[in-house]
Amino acid sequence: MLVHEVGFKRRNMEKLYDNRPIGVFDSGVGGLTVARSIRRSIPDEDIIYFGDTARVPYGNKSKDTIIRFAHEIVNFMIAKKVKMVVVACNTASSLSLQALKKTYDIPVIGVIVPGVKEAVKVSKNKRIGVIGTHSTVSSGAYVKELKKVSSRYRIFQGCCPLFVPLVENKMINDPVTFEMAGRYLKTFREKDIDTLILGCTHYPILKSVIGKVMKDVKLVDSSFAVAREVDSILRDKGLSAYGRKRSGKIKCFVSDNVEAFRNVASIFFKENLDIKKVIL
Ligand code: DGL
């Protein structure tokens, strides 16, 4: 009787495991901040990361173009049998998430809503700043989501176009980066904000520089909130790999030079990454 019960439970648990990978993508290396947080909170999961390095930056491109790029990437991921997709790019989340959700029947999430939820949790004075790419800021995606929570939020937005190439060139603690942070963030310092959303997945890499300019302001890196959301969706839908016998692996695909990506990716992942170039 006991043996039968154990066997029954084990069979049930096996049914609940889903070892297919999670797909995570960005225009370049920035989304690795999200992949890293997913890996830390749910280490059993395999991840397929796609960095569209041949076409970075996305931040100055039109909505139609971003929707096309995002579909090409998700089609590639579907062929790799992902069980869920995380759009780890604020620009692609702002411009293509709705279209992706309509096209695919697996869960697809972006980074905007988790970032907003986090900002709302930490802001006391309801004065929130948002920095991002030109496309993210002009889409108004953060403003729309924050206003859904309460019309009483005062929101101040600005774009920081040079932050992405500075990160991609590993100029993290460079005087030029400090200079640019000072210029970009000057107006935010005059607005009495208590919270600043880092609305581009590249920006958490510059957290220490931004933090020095924006003293006493809470910086919101949505990657942790995204990881929590991924975990909760996988558990709700019975898609989690939780409890299997080996820890998850990350495989990266890029649309341009592998070694250039490896070089910058070393900021995020200390392990030697498995990276392949693919043409979509
Ligand atoms: N990391 C991307 C984002 O979160 C943008 C960088 C780019 O312009 O491609 O918006």
Side-chain angles (χ1 to χ4, degrees):
M1 180 62 190
L2 184 63
V3 172
H4 178 75
E5 263 179 33
V6 171
F8 182 71
K9 275 183 190 159
R10 197 176 283 147
R11 270 204 304 281
N12 262 354
M13 281 171 74
E14 274 159 11
K15 263 194 203 164
L16 291 177
Y17 301 162
D18 189 325
N19 293 341
R20 288 175 300 161
I22 301 167
V24 178
F25 79 89
D26 179 42
S27 57
V29 291
L32 286 175
T33 53
V34 177
R36 184 176 58 183
S37 293
I38 294 174
R39 199 149 158 74
R40 283 182 184 160
S41 27
I42 34 178
D44 293 2
E45 299 291 343
D46 284 340
I47 296 174
I48 285 191
Y49 182 87
F50 187 89
D52 199 0
T53 49
R55 306 189 284 201
V56 66
Y58 278 10
N60 53 9
K61 295 192 171 64
S62 68
K63 183 169 179 165
D64 287 355
T65 301
I66 298 299
I67 289 178
R68 176 164 57 83
F69 289 176
H71 277 86
E72 287 170 7
I73 295 167
V74 179
N75 288 342
F76 167 78
M77 291 185 154
I78 296 280
K80 296 272 173 212
K81 305 213 178 324
V82 296
K83 57 185 171 188
M84 143 168 222
V85 170
V86 179
V87 184
C89 171
N90 288 262
T91 309
S93 297
S94 308
L95 302 180
S96 68
L97 188 64
Q98 294 318 319
L100 294 176
K101 279 177 181 287
K102 280 188 196 145
T103 311
Y104 301 100
D105 54 12
I106 54 169
V108 182
I109 67 160
V111 286
I112 310 283
V113 172
V116 163
K117 282 187 191 160
E118 194 63 24
V120 164
K121 253 195 246 164
V122 296
S123 175
K124 299 266 182 292
N125 73 0
K126 293 196 160 37
R127 298 173 72 83
I128 297 179
V130 180
I131 50 172
T133 64
H134 184 266
S135 303
T136 298
V137 168
S138 55
S139 75
Y142 275 102
V143 179
K144 266 180 240 154
E145 289 302 326
L146 279 161
K147 292 285 182 194
K148 273 190 207 165
V149 181
S150 162
S151 55
R152 287 174 50 217
Y153 283 104
R154 293 292 311 277
I155 303 145
F156 305 92
Q157 296 198 97
C159 44
C160 309
L162 291 181
F163 278 177
V164 170
L166 286 166
V167 169
E168 299 266 341
N169 285 285
K170 277 180 121 174
M171 292 172 70
I172 315 299
N173 286 307
D174 195 279
V176 173
T177 309
F178 274 98
E179 166 66 24
M180 289 319 301
R183 286 201 211 180
Y184 285 143
L185 301 171
K186 186 170 179 292
T187 51
F188 288 97
R189 285 169 45 204
E190 293 153 5
K191 303 289 187 208
D192 189 31
I193 57 167
D194 69 352
T195 305
L196 179 66
I197 299 178
L198 306 179
C200 171
T201 49
H202 283 67
Y203 298 175
I205 310 299
L206 301 178
K207 214 170 178 176
S208 71
V209 178
I210 297 171
K212 279 184 189 134
V213 178
M214 299 301 294
K215 289 195 184 76
D216 304 323
V217 169
K218 180 85 188 156
L219 304 181
V220 173
D221 164 1
S222 60
S223 69
F224 306 109
V226 172
R228 282 198 300 274
E229 179 120 354
V230 171
D231 189 22
S232 115
I233 291 173
L234 293 180
R235 282 170 190 263
D236 279 1
K237 297 193 179 293
L239 296 173
S240 179
Y242 179 74
R244 71 175 180 184
K245 297 246 167 3
R246 69 169 180 85
S247 55
K249 292 197 169 28
I250 177 161
K251 263 194 194 155
C252 298
F253 295 90
V254 289
S255 49
D256 202 0
N257 195 316
V258 167
E259 287 317 311
F261 182 85
R262 187 186 305 286
N263 181 27
V264 191
S266 63
I267 307 170
F268 310 85
F269 282 93
K270 298 300 161 212
E271 69 201 65
N272 191 20
L273 288 174
D274 173 358
I275 310 168
K276 282 194 181 60
K277 179 175 171 177
V278 286
I279 296 174
L280 294 180

